Amino acid sequence: MPLDTAPHLNSLGFAKPESETRVVVAMSGGVDSSVVAAQLAEEGYDVVGVTLQLYDHGAALAKKGACCAGLDIHDARRVAEEMGFPHYVLDYENVFKEAVIDEFADSYLAGATPVPCIRCNERVKFKDLLETARDLDADCMATGHYIQRKMGAHGPELHSAADANRDQSYFLFSTTPEQLDYLRFPLGHLPSKDATRALAAKYGLSVADKPDSQDICFVPNGNYASVIEKLRPGAAEPGEIVDIEGNVLGRHEGVLHYTVGQRRGLGIGGLETPLYVVKLDVEARRVIVGPKEMLSTAIVPVREINWLGDADFMLQDEWHVSVKVRSTRAPREAVIRPLSATSAEVELLTPEEGVSPGQACVFYETGGSRILGGGWIWRGY
């Protein structure tokens, strides 16, 4: 009987002992990335923890308990001490401000609804931090994201997390094939967040019961407008609230306080039919409102597409997939019609309400878990 000469692969996919496999773990200070680091350390890997300082923790934008606040750096360092691996804090304030915060403010002022967590993954964590991991001679970089990396016939594939309630695929669509080759996501297969917390308790981690961060890390209490006013003084220019025919219904204190699809807080009560924000005219400083049916959108223009399918994106006139146009919505069937290698028209087979410029449109394999890429919605109508 012939001997099996296939090399044994460790849990991270390398044909060498765990002790000779160096892995940089991106540690936010939360329970998820702490469990990843602790688990890999216990398995015998050469773990190096890295935490990014993304903004001035003493500044007005800082928020206790947010993903990048000073307390979280302390918590990440403490986990590293508990598990006995080195930990470094890298100052990425300038990079984060230029690549994420400034675009967030400018996009909001342009009437879009940006998703800064995607840009942070794309431009900071999976770009600069990943290069730092390479500089540290790491074989790979691991994160606490709830998403799965699976090997397919053509190489690594990106798949939704086993727990649909924790799935973070919407925020990771821009991960490139080259990055995916280097990244690992050890939590993606877990059935629930309770399973993660159970592991944290098993390892005796001080963050085992730490609550999840709910807000964007640099936006205190979810108040986008207050942050933008600090970043762009004078941005909250007052203007008119008008209906679709241009009739003035009221006044507002700044377009940046509104998003497409918003109903509450318009200050124009007493109408027979509820009105929603259907468009933001930034140049005219107008908030345009209309009936709910005006929010329904079937055709969605998408650009800056990152395609993760096996075949070339331009190879077909149409791709039949499912898409998400907001992180909180389930994928819906759609048809992608490529216009170029990085732009397309997406037709939603069932029109959706509140499709907003600045949000992502993420592509999924219909009936499956694979992420086929995605892009940015660049105008709503």
Side-chain angles (χ1 to χ4, degrees), residues 235-239 252-258 287:
E237 296 269 350
H252 65 77
E253 295 303 314
V255 172
L256 61 86
H257 294 283
Y258 301 87
V287 174

Short mmCIF file of all heavy atoms in Angstrom, two decimals, residues 235-239 252-258 287:
data_model
loop_
_atom_site.label_atom_id
_atom_site.label_comp_id
_atom_site.label_asym_id
_atom_site.label_seq_id
_atom_site.Cartn_x
_atom_site.Cartn_y
_atom_site.Cartn_z
N ALA A 235 -20.78 73.46 8.33
CA ALA A 235 -21.40 72.57 7.35
C ALA A 235 -22.92 72.49 7.50
O ALA A 235 -23.63 72.17 6.55
CB ALA A 235 -20.81 71.16 7.47
N ALA A 236 -23.43 72.80 8.68
CA ALA A 236 -24.86 72.67 8.92
C ALA A 236 -25.60 73.92 8.46
O ALA A 236 -26.13 74.69 9.25
CB ALA A 236 -25.13 72.41 10.40
N GLU A 237 -25.64 74.12 7.16
CA GLU A 237 -26.33 75.28 6.58
C GLU A 237 -27.84 75.01 6.56
O GLU A 237 -28.28 73.97 6.08
CB GLU A 237 -25.84 75.51 5.14
CG GLU A 237 -24.37 75.88 5.05
CD GLU A 237 -24.15 77.39 5.10
OE1 GLU A 237 -25.16 78.11 5.02
OE2 GLU A 237 -23.01 77.82 5.24
N PRO A 238 -28.67 75.93 7.06
CA PRO A 238 -30.12 75.73 7.03
C PRO A 238 -30.67 75.82 5.61
O PRO A 238 -30.01 76.35 4.71
CB PRO A 238 -30.65 76.87 7.91
CG PRO A 238 -29.61 77.93 7.83
CD PRO A 238 -28.29 77.21 7.69
N GLY A 239 -31.86 75.30 5.41
CA GLY A 239 -32.49 75.34 4.09
C GLY A 239 -33.93 74.93 4.17
O GLY A 239 -34.54 74.90 5.24
N HIS A 252 -35.13 73.31 7.59
CA HIS A 252 -34.23 72.38 8.28
C HIS A 252 -32.95 73.11 8.69
O HIS A 252 -32.66 74.21 8.21
CB HIS A 252 -33.89 71.18 7.38
CG HIS A 252 -33.11 71.53 6.15
ND1 HIS A 252 -31.76 71.79 6.19
CD2 HIS A 252 -33.48 71.68 4.85
CE1 HIS A 252 -31.32 72.07 4.97
NE2 HIS A 252 -32.35 72.02 4.13
N GLU A 253 -32.19 72.48 9.58
CA GLU A 253 -30.97 73.09 10.10
C GLU A 253 -29.71 72.52 9.46
O GLU A 253 -28.62 72.70 9.98
CB GLU A 253 -30.91 72.90 11.63
CG GLU A 253 -32.02 73.63 12.38
CD GLU A 253 -32.02 75.13 12.08
OE1 GLU A 253 -30.93 75.73 12.11
OE2 GLU A 253 -33.11 75.67 11.79
N GLY A 254 -29.85 71.84 8.34
CA GLY A 254 -28.69 71.29 7.65
C GLY A 254 -29.00 69.96 7.01
O GLY A 254 -29.57 69.06 7.67
N VAL A 255 -28.66 69.82 5.73
CA VAL A 255 -28.92 68.58 5.00
C VAL A 255 -28.26 67.39 5.67
O VAL A 255 -28.76 66.26 5.62
CB VAL A 255 -28.43 68.72 3.54
CG1 VAL A 255 -28.50 67.40 2.80
CG2 VAL A 255 -29.26 69.78 2.80
N LEU A 256 -27.13 67.63 6.37
CA LEU A 256 -26.38 66.53 6.96
C LEU A 256 -27.16 65.81 8.06
O LEU A 256 -26.79 64.73 8.50
CB LEU A 256 -25.03 67.02 7.49
CG LEU A 256 -25.02 68.08 8.61
CD1 LEU A 256 -25.13 67.44 9.97
CD2 LEU A 256 -23.75 68.92 8.53
N HIS A 257 -28.27 66.41 8.53
CA HIS A 257 -29.09 65.78 9.56
C HIS A 257 -30.08 64.76 8.99
O HIS A 257 -30.84 64.15 9.74
CB HIS A 257 -29.88 66.85 10.33
CG HIS A 257 -29.03 67.79 11.13
ND1 HIS A 257 -28.46 67.43 12.33
CD2 HIS A 257 -28.62 69.06 10.87
CE1 HIS A 257 -27.76 68.46 12.80
NE2 HIS A 257 -27.84 69.45 11.93
N TYR A 258 -30.08 64.57 7.65
CA TYR A 258 -31.10 63.73 7.01
C TYR A 258 -30.47 62.64 6.15
O TYR A 258 -29.38 62.82 5.61
CB TYR A 258 -32.04 64.60 6.16
CG TYR A 258 -32.73 65.67 6.96
CD1 TYR A 258 -32.13 66.90 7.17
CD2 TYR A 258 -33.99 65.44 7.52
CE1 TYR A 258 -32.74 67.89 7.94
CE2 TYR A 258 -34.62 66.42 8.28
CZ TYR A 258 -33.99 67.63 8.49
OH TYR A 258 -34.59 68.60 9.25
N VAL A 287 -34.02 69.52 1.30
CA VAL A 287 -34.43 68.16 1.63
C VAL A 287 -35.75 67.92 0.91
O VAL A 287 -36.74 68.61 1.16
CB VAL A 287 -34.61 67.99 3.15
CG1 VAL A 287 -35.18 66.60 3.47
CG2 VAL A 287 -33.27 68.19 3.87
#
